[in-house]
Amino acid sequence: MTADGSQELKCQLMKCREVISVGYNTESRIEWLNNFCGYFYEFADRLHKYISTEVTGDLSGNEHIDITFLCLAQVCLCTKYLERVIRAEETAGKPIPSSRTHFIDRINLCLDKLVLSTRNLEVTGDEEKALQQSRYPFFDLLEIAMDHIKNYSNYQESLNDEVDKSRELKDAFDSSKEVHQCVRFMISQALALANVALIEDKTAISAFSQKVLQDSTAFQQECQKNFETGRNNESIRSLKALALAGSINKLHKHVDETVLRLIFICFSDLEKFSLDKLRAKIHKKRKDDAELDEFIADFDVNMDRLAQIGLFASNDTNKPKLKTLVRSCMASLEALDSCIIPSLQASKLTAMHSEILEQHFYEEIKKLKTAIFDIVDAAPLIRSYFDLLNSCVAKIEKNFNKSQLDDILQMGEFVLQFFQYPSNKKILQPTQKLIYNRLEHFQKYKLMLKECRAILVCAGQVDHKRIVKRFKILRGIMQRFVDALEYEYKQNEPTKRIEPNLTWDKLAVGENLTIDLNETQFQLESIEPSICSILYRNESDIFKSRKRALSESMYGNNSRCSPTTSQEMRDKEKQNLQRRFSADGPNKQERSRVSLRRKESLRTTMFKRQKSLESRKACNFYLQNSASLQISEILDQISEISSNNSIHSGEDVLNKTRIG
């Protein structure tokens, strides 16, 4: 990046910051926001030209490019919400300072981030890659590790030249160290996912992670021994490389399955622990009420799960625009996590601000769900639901539980929504190549889902065996639907047919692998679960996490692997872990649920009381779509600039709109 170009962009950003900060004064109206949009559009237009003509090198996977587009998207989003707030203020005749402050603070933070990211757009090389390695997504780390491993998992002819042989042994040792580092970062991210997953998945991921760590250590030690002795025991090295590749693939497979299960569980729980229900409980209960704390804790767990779902979803798509959309949703939820519950707990005088944040929350959830529909493949998603349904039916046969059936039906609604998405409707259309009629099976599933819902309504008046029979029929229909969806995959690689008595929670970690959970957890203590801040968290005290007991899902930081502790600390930690996992009594299921929760909800009110009530009329007006064509036009064009991630020199630049 040239000095002149960088300085020009910085000056434009400083001007934008100066103009947007005027909005803290509640007397500023729509003209102020129009003025900011004009300056910000000029910056976005100049940035687009600059990247097109002056930035060289490969921009794919460039972290600074990703942050730049994310910040552009967030500024546009917050500006549109500021416009709605101003319109609502005009209708009510009263200011809403808390809402203004929230969105202006987010814009200012994004502008500060843009200063740094645009300055570093051309930073490349090994040093930059090393700095970014800890932030590589799980799947990229997996590919890096597997690319190294495949070079040593096959037989190679022995080298006669001593120099070439020594160089090959040195390269193998260096590769094994890089593989081991990738493995540690992978496990760090896998453990973060495990901490918000169900107890069965947490146990399995811990075991698979331990096996990967063991195999990676063995492979590295073998390469080190060969390098130090100068003798290459290629057959042993190949066996260890193959074992490591196999264990990594098993971990990868179970991480994928865990994310899919979390998608169903999380979006189902969002209906149970909605903000409407939470607001009602807050108004009825005292702040120190135990039941209220439990309800808030469940909401907190869902926020942590959404973060993990969004993280893996954004890393699993090759579409830059879709990736930016998911990351933008995650960033918004990250900012809302610090203030939406305190706004509900605040005085009723801030009800308008609370409803603004609530509407923002549900809009981001809706966008995230739509993005997931576009990213996730149909076959593995539906198989995941079948596994959950199959496990549920197996449980209610032994012990009937209506709430579990309600939950599984709510997850079934997610399947219906998935196939209502335009691009997914095509999957159901019959073709000449398909033997199975997918649309027919889907229609049967849809009908049976309604019948199951209907019979649950009168569950108190119907024999439980009849209800279980209905759900068994639903399971049979789902099994045929899964077979229909997986037909194309079966042509290339036959998949094992699902037996009715196979449940997902009975996991085979390995035929010859027996790992004690206590020992597994202990040996993984040197690797901290990874929690990545998308944009706001840990960047400012304004968006600092609420004061609460630290849950396991929020432990650690950005893929940091801490050094091994001393022997005394290791012994002490091992004793604590043994006590933690010792009891396996009848309350195991209850303990596993509680362990996911934040034990306390010590939230602080982050908003000052307003001296007057905002009218309901203003709220209804706010909920309407943006009315300012001037602002909307500018923001739409900026969005187009930010979503254009495939930029080449000589590319046409968007024409400027007239700022009146």
Side-chain angles (χ1 to χ4, degrees), residues 10-249:
K10 183 178 179 180
C11 291
Q12 288 179 324
L13 283 171
M14 292 300 101
K15 184 62 178 178
C16 290
R17 208 182 198 290
E18 179 184 337
V19 174
I20 196 64
S21 296
V22 175
Y24 288 118
N25 183 349
T26 55
E27 294 181 359
S28 56
R29 311 314 307 162
I30 199 70
E31 294 76 19
W32 148 73
L33 199 58
N34 276 332
N35 193 26
F36 168 75
C37 287
Y39 283 111
F40 188 69
Y41 176 78
E42 289 178 2
F43 161 75
D45 187 39
R46 177 69 186 93
L47 176 65
H48 181 262
K49 291 178 181 178
Y50 187 86
I51 296 176
S52 301
T53 58
E54 300 184 42
V55 177
T56 59
D58 184 14
L59 298 181
S60 61
N62 188 315
E63 182 188 10
H64 303 297
I65 283 288
D66 291 341
I67 292 176
T68 298
F69 290 131
L70 174 59
C71 290
L72 289 173
Q74 278 289 294
V75 171
C76 292
L77 177 68
C78 292
T79 304
K80 288 185 177 181
Y81 274 98
L82 277 175
E83 182 191 9
R84 294 183 182 183
V85 171
I86 291 173
R87 297 302 187 189
E89 289 176 335
E90 291 174 350
T91 303
K94 304 289 182 180
I96 315 175
S98 297
S99 296
R100 277 179 174 250
T101 300
H102 173 80
F103 292 111
I104 293 175
D105 284 344
R106 285 170 62 178
I107 289 176
N108 276 328
L109 189 144
C110 288
L111 294 178
D112 291 342
K113 283 271 192 177
L114 282 169
V115 172
L116 296 175
S117 60
T118 53
R119 187 173 61 199
N120 297 319
L121 282 177
E122 282 195 310
V123 177
T124 56
D126 295 337
E127 182 178 353
E128 174 66 13
K129 290 180 180 179
L131 291 173
Q132 292 186 18
Q133 189 179 43
S134 64
R135 295 186 288 272
Y136 280 167
F138 181 88
F139 303 111
D140 287 355
L141 291 168
L142 185 144
E143 289 180 0
I144 293 172
M146 295 300 283
D147 285 343
H148 283 288
I149 294 170
K150 71 179 181 182
N151 295 326
Y152 305 102
S153 58
N154 298 322
Y155 175 77
Q156 299 176 356
E157 292 185 4
S158 300
L159 298 173
N160 296 324
D161 193 307
E162 289 297 328
V163 176
D164 291 340
K165 182 178 179 181
S166 177
R167 186 185 302 113
E168 193 273 339
L169 293 176
K170 177 66 166 60
D171 290 342
F173 182 37
D174 292 339
S175 292
S176 70
K177 289 191 289 186
E178 186 165 353
V179 168
H180 191 67
Q181 188 71 0
C182 287
V183 162
R184 289 176 67 86
F185 289 133
M186 284 172 55
I187 292 175
S188 177
Q189 296 183 30
L191 293 180
L193 174 66
N195 280 339
V196 297
L198 299 181
I199 187 62
E200 295 86 355
D201 285 323
K202 181 173 183 176
T203 304
I205 289 179
S206 297
F208 284 126
S209 297
Q210 178 62 24
K211 183 64 168 65
V212 171
L213 195 58
Q214 289 174 347
D215 290 341
S216 176
T217 302
F219 176 65
Q220 184 182 10
Q221 289 174 348
E222 180 65 26
C223 292
Q224 181 179 3
K225 184 181 70 173
N226 292 343
F227 174 65
E228 292 175 349
T229 60
R231 294 192 298 272
N232 184 10
N233 195 337
E234 189 173 330
S235 58
I236 299 298
R237 188 180 68 181
S238 296
L239 286 174
K240 293 186 183 297
L242 286 170
L244 176 57
S247 58
I248 288 178
N249 284 328

Side-chain angles (χ1 to χ4, degrees), residues 268-281:
S268 173
D269 284 351
L270 281 173
E271 299 294 329
K272 293 167 59 178
F273 310 113
S274 66
L275 291 176
D276 286 335
K277 296 177 182 178
L278 186 53
R279 179 189 289 107
K281 284 186 177 292

